């Protein structure tokens, strides 16, 4: 690494260097307790902080976990150490790993030490400052070392279980499709078309497995100080096992980008740069080194996947630029303080629930906001947290977690806790047959597919379920479904439909590709795209025939199923609304503290100060009422907690609407623009007062249940 990239250690990453020197003395050549020992930090390595260690005779590089409470599946420096050790033993150019320390007492976190490699690192892929001939030689050297990586024999490298292996491309397409759709703040037809094309053109050889780097670029290579050869490959944080062509295409992608385009600062176009070999030449060299045919199968797919991945990252960062454009230190200091207040008030939260909530909070800060891949969440065990049978969490436990994920519009999707899949998975878990669970529940739990729920109809007032006109007729060993549905949530990218109809109220599973299922159009909210949770669509069922075995629980049992489905789902919506309101209040306070009108800061105007106070009162009241409903759901069950659930459904929707509307008022014209997330948040908040039944239906139910309870009290006194 180049020494000039190292700077003084940043405040948040400081540790006890005396302890480190004492620990390394005697274990590492060139380190003693008596010599000068300096520590500086590299500007790279933000996820796992990276440091330059220097003594009078030697230099080393240290990578460590960040400080604070971390997730079990994140910041796996032991995994980096393992792969580098295996690679170094195989003679592959990586810095030699020297030791791995799991004792957090030394510097506060686990870390590993490797040799410091002298050489050149080019942050600009165009390699400025070298001749055209040397530029060509450097790129040839890079592609040769990539071919060498992919030629390694995994069976001899002690890397059993290092990655998930076969099916890598399918996992990548699924992951980046979901992340793009979750982050997109407006419809981009060409991206949707590319996503569909990728899903329909998965490579036939996706079972080929090699060790892949995951982020192979010129700026992750150290070149010899004077020669055109790679002396070390860096940054193995995203390495895994899978299809090697994805690595090659990612490396080649800048050669195909238009000269005017730069997706990210490290991924600009290489077109027209003198000396850089053509993609065809680089492919030929790669194939010759691997001794494989030079006509690569489905190269266009891998290039398209690389572009889609980078565009998805760019979209996420575009969203984050206005949705989390606050100081992270301020935001998360506030979050942790507020969390303690919640636990002081609600003593019934289990120890596991509190620990998982802390993990989710940390993962939000470290990974969701920087838009890391969802596979890490599964490895961390932060997956399907909404389902008690899987997570071991109570509804009260998960209520706190749902609030945390409500602070980011697409966070629930990253934890596989998004509507309507949560409710559909609960239905299948509680009421599905073993065959239905095997075919539909397991893929949903693993995040391989999406589902949607079809109940509302365009031609009738669907708040009264007896109005529904969709029909379900038995025809020997099949059922025939006929009718029109809309506001079918989660349709984008889904593979199975839960279709509900009244009459005798039945619920049936309908694969989306069944003949006669016609997805008519996506619906908009306030004229804008509504794709944050997979979108809402109008779907027509034209005499759709599905096997009778797809019926859930049996004919006429749909109402029973729906009651079990809606209780927890409404609770989750309400707690996410509390998190969304907290986010809106933070934005409001930021604006009020920095904007000035008529000689005063906005918050110094009494009306704005009162707005802030009213928002705080409303949020805290709603949170406590919702946690009370969660406790009732845990202790009484869905049926006996109906009144509490109906109450929070009304209160949470009204509260988040009011808080976001107030924030918009403070922001003025900016509040209704696309430059800030408030307009999108308001669309979500206002929709919440209609979704799962309008306020008025719940108010009538609350009144009925309250009268019943009062009558029982009166009778008990007689």
């Amino acid at each position: 690494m180049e020494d000039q990239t190292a700077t003084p250690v940043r405040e948040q990453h400081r540790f006890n260097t005396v302890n480190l020197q004492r620990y390394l003395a005697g274990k590492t050549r060139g380190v003693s307790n008596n010599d000068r020992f300096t520590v500086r930090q590299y500007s790279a390595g933000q996820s796992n902080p990276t440091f330059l260690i220097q003594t009078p005779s030697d230099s080393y590089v240290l990578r460590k976990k960040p400080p604070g409470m971390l997730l079990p599946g994140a910041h796996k420096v032991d995994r980096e150490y393992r792969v580098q050790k295996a690679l170094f033993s195989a003679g592959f150019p990586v810095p030699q790993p020297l030791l791995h320390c799991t004792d957090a007492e030394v510097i506060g976190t686990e870390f590993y030490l490797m040799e410091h490699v002298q050489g050149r690192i080019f942050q600009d892929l165009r390699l400025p400052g070298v001749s055209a001939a040397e530029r060509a030689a450097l790129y040839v050297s890079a592609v040769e070392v990539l071919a060498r990586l992919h030629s390694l024999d995994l069976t001899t490298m002690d890397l059993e279980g290092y990655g998930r292996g076969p099916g890598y491309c399918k996992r990548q397409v699924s992951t980046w499709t979901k992340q793009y759709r979750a982050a997109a703040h407006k419809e981009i037809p060409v991206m949707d078309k590319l996503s569909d094309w990728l899903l329909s053109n998965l490579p036939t050889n996706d079972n080929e497995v090699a060790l892949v780097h995951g982020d192979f670029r010129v700026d992750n290579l150290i070149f010899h100080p004077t020669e055109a050869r790679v002396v070390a490959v860096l940054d193995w944080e995203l390495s895994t096992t899978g299809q090697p062509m994805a690595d090659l295409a990612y490396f080649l992608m800048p050669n195909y980008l238009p000269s005017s385009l730069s997706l990210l600062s490290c991924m600009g176009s290489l077109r027209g740069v003198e000396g850089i070999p053509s993609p065809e030449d680089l492919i030929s060299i790669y194939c010759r080194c691997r001794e494989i045919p030079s006509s690569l199968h489905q190269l266009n797919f891998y290039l398209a996947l690389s572009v889609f991945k980078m565009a998805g990252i760019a979209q996420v960062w575009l969203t984050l630029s206005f949705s989390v454009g606050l100081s992270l230190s301020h935001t998360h200091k506030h979050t942790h303080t507020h969390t303690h207040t919640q636990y002081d008030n609600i003593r019934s939260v289990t120890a596991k629930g509190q620990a998982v909530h802390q993990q989710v909070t940390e993962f939000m800060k470290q990974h969701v906001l920087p838009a890391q891949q969802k596979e890490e969440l599964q490895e961390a065990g932060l997956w399907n947290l909404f389902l008690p049978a899987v997570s071991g969490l109570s509804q009260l436990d998960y209520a706190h977690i749902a609030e945390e994920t409500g602070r980011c519009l697409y966070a629930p999707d990253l934890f596989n806790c998004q509507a309507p899949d949560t409710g559909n998975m609960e239905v299948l878990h509680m009421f599905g047959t073993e065959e239905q669970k095997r075919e539909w529940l397991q893929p949903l739990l693993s995040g391989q597919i999406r589902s949607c729920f079809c109940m509302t109809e365009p031609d009738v007032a669907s708040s009264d379920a007896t109005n529904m006109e969709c029909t379900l007729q038995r025809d020997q060993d099949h059922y025939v479904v006929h009718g029109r549905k809309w506001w079918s949530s989660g349709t984008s990218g889904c593979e199975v439909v839960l279709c509900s109809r009244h009459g005798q109220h039945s619920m049936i599973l309908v694969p989306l590709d069944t003949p006669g299922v016609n997805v008519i159009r996506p619906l908009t909210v306030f004229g804008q795209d509504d794709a944050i949770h997979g979108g809402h669509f109008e779907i027509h069922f034209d005499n759709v025939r599905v096997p009778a075995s797809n019926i859930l629980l049996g004919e006429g049992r749909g109402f029973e199923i729906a009651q079990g489905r809606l209780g927890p789902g409404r609770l989750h919506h309400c707690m996410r609304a509390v998190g969304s309101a907290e986010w809106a209040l933070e934005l409001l306070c930021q604006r009020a503290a920095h904007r000035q009108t008529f000689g005063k800061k906005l918050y110094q105007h009494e009306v704005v100060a009162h707005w802030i106070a009213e928002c705080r009162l409303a949020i805290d009241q709603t949170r406590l009422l919702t946690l009370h409903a969660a406790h009732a759901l845990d202790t009484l069950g869905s049926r006996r907690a109906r009144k509490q659930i109906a109450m929070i459904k009304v209160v949470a929707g009204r509260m988040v609407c009011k808080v976001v509307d107030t924030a918009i008022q403070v922001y003025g014209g900016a509040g209704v623009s696309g430059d800030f997330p408030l307009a999108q948040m308001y669309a979500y908040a206002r929709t919440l007062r209609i979704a799962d039944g309008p306020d008025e239906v719940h108010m009538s139910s609350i009144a009925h249940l309250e009268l019943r309870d009062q009558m029982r009290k009166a009778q008990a006194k007689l």
Side-chain angles (χ1 to χ4, degrees):
M1 294 183 179
E2 294 180 307
D3 294 353
Q4 61 264 35
T5 62
T7 61
V9 177
R10 293 185 283 281
E11 180 66 32
Q12 66 269 32
H13 292 145
R14 289 183 180 175
F15 54 81
N16 192 321
T17 57
V18 174
N19 276 0
L20 177 63
Q21 184 173 6
R22 187 182 301 120
Y23 177 83
L24 295 179
K27 295 184 177 67
T28 306
R29 173 185 51 80
V31 180
S32 73
N33 287 321
N34 301 320
D35 289 334
R36 178 177 58 84
F37 186 88
T38 63
V39 179
R40 292 171 66 80
Q41 185 169 5
Y42 285 108
S43 57
Q46 292 299 302
S47 180
N48 288 328
T50 307
F51 305 85
L52 173 65
I53 312 294
Q54 290 181 303
T55 69
S57 59
D58 291 282
S59 296
Y60 309 92
V61 174
L62 181 148
R63 272 173 71 86
K64 67 185 289 289
K65 290 190 174 187
M69 182 176 180
L70 302 175
L71 308 176
H75 306 285
K76 301 288 286 184
V77 296
D78 59 326
R79 200 167 181 272
E80 292 183 37
Y81 179 80
R82 179 187 175 191
V83 71
Q84 284 190 221
K85 186 175 181 181
L87 286 165
F88 186 82
S89 297
F92 188 81
V94 291
Q96 180 181 4
L98 301 174
L99 61 84
H100 173 221
C101 176
T102 59
D103 184 0
E105 295 296 322
V106 178
I107 61 172
T109 67
E110 178 184 355
F111 69 90
Y112 74 95
L113 193 75
M114 55 184 150
E115 69 167 339
H116 174 269
V117 178
Q118 292 283 357
R120 295 176 289 172
I121 297 179
F122 297 93
Q123 299 297 334
D124 190 329
L125 305 190
R126 296 169 296 183
L127 310 188
V130 303
S131 67
E134 186 176 11
R135 194 174 290 124
L138 291 169
Y139 264 87
V140 168
S141 174
V143 80
E144 286 175 343
V145 84
L146 180 61
R148 183 177 171 189
L149 171 66
H150 295 161
S151 299
L152 293 173
D153 184 357
L154 289 173
T155 61
T156 64
M157 293 182 63
D158 192 28
L159 288 176
E160 295 81 5
Y162 185 72
R164 295 172 65 182
Y168 176 80
C169 292
K170 184 176 182 180
R171 293 194 300 273
Q172 288 286 298
V173 172
S174 176
T175 294
W176 288 106
T177 295
K178 291 174 183 176
Q179 289 205 4
Y180 156 69
R181 286 177 175 163
H185 65 288
K186 65 178 181 179
E187 186 176 357
I188 306 176
V190 69
M191 284 290 286
D192 292 328
K193 179 182 275 190
L194 177 55
S195 171
D196 293 341
W197 185 88
L198 289 168
L199 289 171
S200 301
N201 291 273
L202 290 170
T204 56
N205 60 342
D206 201 15
N207 289 333
E208 182 182 354
V209 175
L211 183 62
V212 296
H213 184 273
D215 193 21
F216 193 86
R217 307 191 309 254
V218 165
D219 54 324
N220 276 331
L221 307 177
I222 301 179
F223 291 95
H224 188 277
T226 59
E227 301 173 14
R229 61 183 176 90
V230 176
V231 293
V233 181
L234 306 177
D235 198 355
W236 294 89
E237 189 172 355
L238 297 180
S239 62
T240 185
T241 55
Q243 171 53 255
M245 289 302 103
D247 252 0
L248 176 62
Y250 188 73
F251 175 71
L252 296 174
M253 180 179 58
N255 293 275
Y256 293 92
L257 296 178
S259 57
S260 60
L261 180 64
S262 177
L263 290 177
L264 295 175
S265 61
C266 60
M267 272 293 175
S269 173
L270 293 179
R271 287 194 177 186
V273 179
E274 186 181 5
I276 293 182
S278 69
E280 294 76 18
D281 288 341
L282 292 173
I283 290 170
S284 177
I285 295 167
Y286 172 88
C287 293
R288 186 175 67 250
C289 291
R290 288 197 63 195
E291 299 182 346
I292 61 176
S294 58
S295 56
L296 296 183
H297 185 57
Q298 290 183 283
L299 177 62
N300 279 350
F301 171 86
Y302 299 108
L303 291 171
L305 175 60
S306 298
V307 172
F308 186 70
K309 172 182 174 181
M310 297 306 296
I313 293 173
Q315 179 64 59
V316 169
W317 281 108
L318 177 62
T319 301
L320 292 175
S321 68
F322 59 77
S323 67
V324 287
L326 308 175
S327 164
L328 280 180
S329 60
H330 168 81
T331 299
H332 292 283
K333 180 179 179 182
H334 173 82
T335 299
H336 291 305
T337 302
H338 190 62
T339 298
H340 294 312
T341 303
Q342 294 175 33
Y343 289 121
D344 288 341
N345 291 333
I346 305 295
R347 298 291 182 181
S348 299
V349 173
T350 66
K352 180 175 182 180
Q354 187 170 354
V356 173
H357 174 270
Q358 183 65 28
Q359 287 183 323
V360 170
T361 301
E362 184 63 28
F363 205 100
M364 289 283 291
K365 179 171 67 176
Q366 295 287 344
H367 294 283
V368 174
L369 298 180
Q372 293 287 333
Q373 295 189 24
K374 293 168 70 173
E375 289 180 6
E376 291 187 25
L377 281 161
Q378 291 177 275
E379 293 174 4
L382 300 177
W383 195 250
N384 298 321
L385 301 175
F386 69 93
L387 193 58
V390 174
S391 66
L393 302 176
S394 67
Q395 294 294 341
L396 182 57
D397 291 335
Y398 182 67
H400 291 284
I401 296 165
E403 177 183 344
E404 191 65 36
T405 60
R407 299 170 63 88
C408 179
L409 291 171
Y410 58 83
D413 295 72
L414 300 183
F415 293 88
N416 208 40
C417 291
Q418 68 284 342
D421 292 307
T422 51
N424 294 341
M425 285 187 268
E426 285 174 320
V427 165
L428 287 165
H429 172 73
M430 292 187 292
F431 306 113
T433 65
E434 290 305 312
E435 181 182 353
Q436 289 167 351
K437 290 178 181 179
R438 196 164 43 248
E439 185 170 3
W440 304 114
L441 177 59
Q442 290 307 318
L444 283 167
L445 287 171
S446 64
Q448 295 174 352
I449 66 172
R450 291 292 305 269
S451 61
C452 75
F453 191 79
C454 296
M455 182 174 179
T456 306
E457 298 183 1
D459 298 327
V460 297
S462 301
S463 56
D464 178 0
T466 62
N467 285 337
M468 290 185 191
E469 296 178 341
C470 182
T471 61
L472 181 72
Q473 300 291 336
R474 181 72 181 251
D475 182 12
Q476 297 181 0
D477 59 350
H478 282 74
Y479 281 103
V480 179
V481 185
H482 186 76
R484 302 171 63 198
K485 300 286 186 179
W486 74 340
W487 294 106
S488 300
S489 53
T491 307
S492 180
C494 87
E495 294 190 24
V496 62
V497 174
L498 272 74
C499 187
S500 177
R501 50 94 50 207
H502 200 261
Q504 290 186 327
H505 233 112
S506 300
M507 202 172 290
I508 192 165
L509 292 155
V510 182
L512 196 65
D513 59 358
T514 306
V517 179
N518 299 309
V519 179
I520 303 301
R521 60 182 175 126
L523 301 172
T524 61
V525 176
F526 295 138
Q528 300 298 314
D529 180 44
D530 182 43
I532 198 67
H533 293 303
H536 293 88
F537 286 73
E538 180 176 347
I539 301 179
H540 293 182
F541 297 86
D542 297 329
N543 294 310
V544 177
R545 294 177 60 85
V546 292
S549 59
N550 284 23
I551 196 81
L552 279 164
L553 202 58
E555 289 186 36
R557 307 289 294 276
F559 186 79
E560 175 185 347
I561 297 172
Q563 293 309 300
R565 179 186 190 277
L566 291 176
R570 286 171 178 159
L571 172 70
H572 305 161
H573 273 308
C574 292
M575 284 307 290
R576 285 194 291 265
V578 172
S580 183
E582 286 284 4
W583 180 18
L585 181 56
E586 287 182 9
L587 292 170
L588 188 164
C589 291
Q590 286 282 320
R591 190 75 163 191
H594 290 91
R595 283 293 171 114
Q596 183 170 313
T597 62
F598 304 105
K600 295 191 293 185
K601 298 288 188 183
L602 289 179
Y603 75 87
Q604 293 173 323
H605 294 277
E606 188 176 46
V607 64
V608 177
H610 285 189
W611 287 348
I612 293 171
E614 292 286 355
C615 288
R616 172 48 59 206
L617 292 171
I619 293 172
D620 284 1
Q621 289 168 351
T622 302
R623 176 186 294 107
L624 291 173
L625 189 61
T626 308
L627 294 176
H628 174 65
H631 181 69
L633 196 59
D634 283 330
T635 56
L636 303 176
S638 293
R639 183 174 179 80
R640 295 176 62 191
R642 282 183 298 162
K643 184 168 73 173
Q644 290 90 337
I645 292 169
M647 289 167 64
I648 62 169
K649 177 63 175 63
V650 174
V651 169
R654 290 179 176 178
M655 177 277 296
V656 69
C657 247
K658 179 61 177 176
V659 172
V660 176
D661 183 69
T662 303
I664 289 173
Q665 197 70 13
V666 171
Y667 273 75
V672 295
S673 75
D675 292 351
F676 293 90
L678 292 169
Q680 189 177 18
M681 292 167 68
Y682 185 80
Y684 158 74
R686 188 61 185 84
T687 303
L688 193 61
R689 295 185 58 197
I690 299 173
D692 291 340
D695 288 359
E696 292 72 23
V697 171
H698 294 291
M699 293 288 281
S700 296
S701 177
I702 294 165
H704 170 76
L705 293 169
E706 180 64 21
L707 285 166
R708 182 203 63 183
D709 293 345
Q710 292 291 347
M711 293 300 178
R712 288 178 177 174
K713 287 180 184 178
Q715 289 176 355
K717 292 179 181 179
L718 296 178

